[in-house]
């Protein structure tokens, strides 16, 4: 049975959800599933905006067939060729052999690399700024390179002022019938997941996201349709403001995320003591994570949100405990900037963890290491409390 919804008079949502997939990109846990959006415009010409993942191909084809109601499909616009959106191009071409696939040069390069079917008669190559009239609706194509992949483009429908924004403004989390953000409790149900999606999936490309925002996000945009998550038709500035912050590597909130790597609990204890002391001084809303327990995507997301982080790690075989090492390298790879960081290290015979954490964090952009890193030998002892208090005081002063 089809499952579609109108987003405006002649534009339909024809996407669907996957609540069964364990991990997005086989990497990021999906406790609330994920949705794959696709939209169909009915005008003198018909145009399908992107396709969906293989997981929901059958529903997708039913949706498209239902909305077309016997009409032919004239255009399939490909804003992004990642397989979570492109798995159905071949099926669409088989069913609608006259369809023109609309994409840029790179789009077609990637389609050719991923798939093995003859679409040579279906190509409509466009460049940045080109337009395509469907009748009353006018599509304008704008390249948005590296707003996830190099071939990405945004499509702006000029009559109804709808931005089809590829992965931008997307989020993890399936839709629960309500496809508009204003029909959901976005702040509680989606925002954390939108941030986790942003930081981990597109976080690395802050500058490219900013370039794309500048190109398209004017006051006149009335609706934003991302490939994942709810459609925005009200209060667009809410999500655009979040994107301004996230892409500028600017913390949303003053606060501390404490992350530790500990095998036998001594580093864990030290980090708990630090958080306790900060709380007594008045620091609110702190987060503590065990690097071996929580998936790094959640830790990265909170580090994106808050202004301060404390990393506490044991030394492991003359190196850094690898959960901590990979977390720090991933933060560096994602281009995280502008955070204040405290370091806590431990070892039992030749401590290396502070040195290594310091090296990694110092090689990142605009990261400030606050105070003198605090070090313990195997476990923290009472006679170190004064030194710890000094560390906590310095850290606290940097938050105030
Ligand atoms: C497998 C393993 C390897 C370790 N390698 C080192 C090391 O190379 N240098 C060192 O000073 N301590 C090393 N340690 C000790 C830890 O860094 C740490 O001091 C100890 O595990 C106590 O802290 P915890 O209770 O937080 O785990 C190692 C511990 C383990 C279990
Ligand atoms: Fe993508
Ligand atoms: Fe995607």
């Amino acid at each position: 049975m089809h499952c579609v919804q109108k987003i405006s008079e002649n534009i339909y949502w024809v996407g669907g959800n996957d609540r069964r997939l364990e991990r997005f990109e086989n990497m990021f846990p999906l406790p609330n599933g994920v949705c794959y959006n696709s939209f169909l415009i009915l005008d003198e010409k018909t145009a399908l905006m992107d396709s969906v993942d293989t997981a929901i191909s059958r529903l997708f084809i039913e949706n498209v067939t239902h909305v077309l109601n016997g009409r032919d499909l004239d255009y399939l616009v490909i804003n992004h060729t990642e397989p979570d959106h492109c798995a159905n191009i071949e099926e669409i071409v088989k069913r609608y052999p006259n369809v023109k696939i609309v994409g840029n040069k790179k789009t077609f390069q990637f389609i050719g690399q991923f798939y093995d079917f003859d679409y040579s008669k279906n190509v409509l190559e466009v460049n940045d700024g080109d337009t395509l009239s469907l009748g009353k609706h006018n599509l304008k194509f704008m390249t948005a390179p590296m707003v996830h992949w190099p071939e990405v483009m945004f499509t702006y429908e000029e009559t109804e002022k709808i931005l089809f924004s590829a992965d931008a403004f997307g989020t993890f989390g399936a839709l629960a019938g309500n496809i508009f953000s204003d029909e959901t409790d976005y702040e509680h149900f989606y925002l954390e997941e939108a941030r986790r999606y942003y930081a981990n999936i597109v976080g690395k490309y802050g500058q490219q996201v900013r370039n794309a925002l500048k190109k398209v996000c004017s006051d006149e945009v009335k609706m934003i349709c991302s490939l994942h998550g709810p459609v925005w038709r009200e209060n667009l500035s809410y999500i655009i403001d979040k994107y301004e912050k996230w892409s500028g590597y600017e913390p949303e909130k003053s606060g501390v995320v404490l992350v530790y790597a500990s095998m036998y609990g001594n580093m864990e204890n030290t980090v708990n003591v630090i958080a306790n002391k900060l709380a007594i001084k008045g620091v609110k809303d702190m987060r503590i994570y065990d690097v071996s327990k929580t998936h790094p995507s959640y830790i990265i997301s909170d580090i994106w949100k808050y202004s301060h982080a404390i990393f506490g790690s044991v030394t492991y075989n003359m190196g850094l405990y690898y959960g901590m090492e990979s977390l720090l390298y991933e933060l560096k790879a994602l281009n995280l900037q502008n955070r204040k960081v405290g370091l806590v290290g431990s070892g039992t015979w030749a401590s290396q963890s502070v040195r290594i954490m310091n090296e990694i964090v110092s090689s990142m952009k605009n990261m400030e290491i606050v105070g003198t890193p605090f070090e313990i030998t195997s476990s923290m002892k009472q006679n170190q409390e004064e030194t710890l208090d000094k560390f906590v005081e310095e850290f606290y002063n940097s938050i105030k």
Side-chain angles (χ1 to χ4, degrees), residues 261-268 314-319 346-352 377-378:
S262 176
M263 288 167 276
Y264 297 105
N266 293 291
M267 178 54 74
E268 176 182 11
V314 295
T315 301
Y316 192 84
N317 291 339
M318 296 308 282
S346 97
T348 294
W349 58 92
S351 188
Q352 304 292 328
T377 307
S378 302

Side-chain angles (χ1 to χ4, degrees), residues 14 153 163 206 212 260:
V14 292
M153 46 181 210
L163 178 66
Y260 64 82

Side-chain angles (χ1 to χ4, degrees), residues 325-363:
E325 187 165 46
S326 67
L327 175 73
L328 293 179
Y329 275 122
E330 188 58 21
L331 288 168
K332 179 179 157 96
L334 291 171
N335 257 323
L336 179 81
Q337 302 167 31
N338 306 324
R339 297 299 188 276
K340 293 190 174 165
V341 172
L343 299 178
V344 185
S346 97
T348 294
W349 58 92
S351 188
Q352 304 292 328
S353 52
V354 162
R355 178 185 62 78
I356 301 169
M357 289 191 290
N358 204 336
E359 268 171 26
I360 304 172
V361 174
S362 303
S363 71

